[in-house]
Amino acid sequence: MSAEEIDANEVENPAVTEQAEAPTENPLAKLQDELEKLRNDVLYAQAETQNVRRRLEKEKADASAYAATGFARDMLSVADNLARALAAIPADLREDERVKSLLTGIDMTAKELDNVFQRNGITKIEAVGEKLDPNRHQAMLEIPSADAEPGTVVQEMQGGYMIKDRLLRPALVAVAKAPDA
């Protein structure tokens, strides 16, 4: 067969030409599928970028809100010592005119420290009379008590503090237990 005869056979025989075209896909459909895939990839990348941006904004807000946590934790010992100093002064000495101005100064310093704590979102945890909350209290001992329900805080040994909604230091407490029979 000559080259002219083969070309004529292919033109005259439609089955041969359909078989030749069948394995190749429609180029327009292929491009549309590729376009859809790329569109989905772009949407995914945009969503991921937005999630990263939100996460970074939250981390930045948390960092600024809780930046003073270490300093605040250190200042709690100062507040504890001022409270101990005030509690250690006997009542008869409080009335002595020679000591009264010193006591007033210590008391004003303790109040100012409390005001600074409040302005910075540092609050004291109320413990006595509350149910033991392991997220805010650290039980140091159990005391038999007929007056309080078991699991109730009956004594505070060291005050606990929160900074905004986070625990700064747990309250060290004694918890009631059922009396021994």
Side-chain angles (χ1 to χ4, degrees):
M1 266 190 175
S2 69
E4 290 176 8
E5 290 175 18
I6 294 174
D7 288 340
N9 266 343
E10 286 179 8
V11 172
E12 292 174 1
N13 190 351
V16 172
T17 52
E18 283 180 327
Q19 288 176 353
E21 289 178 15
T24 61
E25 290 184 24
N26 182 356
L28 182 59
K30 185 177 180 181
L31 287 174
Q32 286 176 333
D33 287 345
E34 193 174 320
L35 179 63
E36 187 63 32
K37 181 185 176 294
L38 290 173
R39 206 177 270 145
N40 287 338
D41 289 348
V42 167
L43 289 175
Y44 177 77
Q46 286 174 338
E48 184 65 24
T49 302
Q50 190 174 21
N51 289 339
V52 167
R53 184 181 50 77
R54 278 192 205 127
R55 191 170 34 252
L56 289 175
E57 286 173 359
K58 183 182 180 329
E59 287 175 8
K60 180 182 172 189
D62 285 351
S64 67
Y66 302 107
T69 298
F71 180 72
R73 195 170 283 126
D74 291 343
M75 291 304 294
L76 293 179
S77 64
V78 174
D80 291 341
N81 288 334
L82 280 173
R84 284 187 204 105
L86 287 170
I89 299 170
D92 60 326
L93 199 57
R94 288 179 183 273
E95 300 305 318
D96 188 346
E97 290 301 319
R98 295 178 297 173
V99 183
K100 213 170 200 174
S101 61
L102 176 64
L103 290 175
T104 303
I106 294 172
D107 192 39
M108 289 175 62
T109 303
K111 286 180 183 174
E112 182 59 26
L113 186 58
D114 286 341
N115 290 337
V116 169
F117 281 173
Q118 286 178 357
R119 281 194 306 266
N120 287 284
I122 300 168
T123 55
K124 191 166 182 356
I125 295 172
E126 295 301 322
V128 177
E130 300 286 322
K131 280 298 232 183
L132 179 69
D133 179 357
N135 296 315
R136 299 170 8 136
H137 307 130
Q138 183 174 344
M140 301 303 291
L141 58 116
E142 288 185 317
I143 298 175
S145 174
D147 300 333
E149 184 178 324
T152 302
V153 175
V154 292
Q155 182 183 357
E156 181 179 77
M157 291 168 259
Q158 182 180 35
Y161 289 87
M162 302 284 290
I163 183 166
K164 296 182 180 31
D165 61 344
R166 289 187 183 173
L167 182 67
L168 189 58
R169 179 178 79 186
L172 302 181
V173 297
V175 181
K177 73 174 184 174
D180 297 329

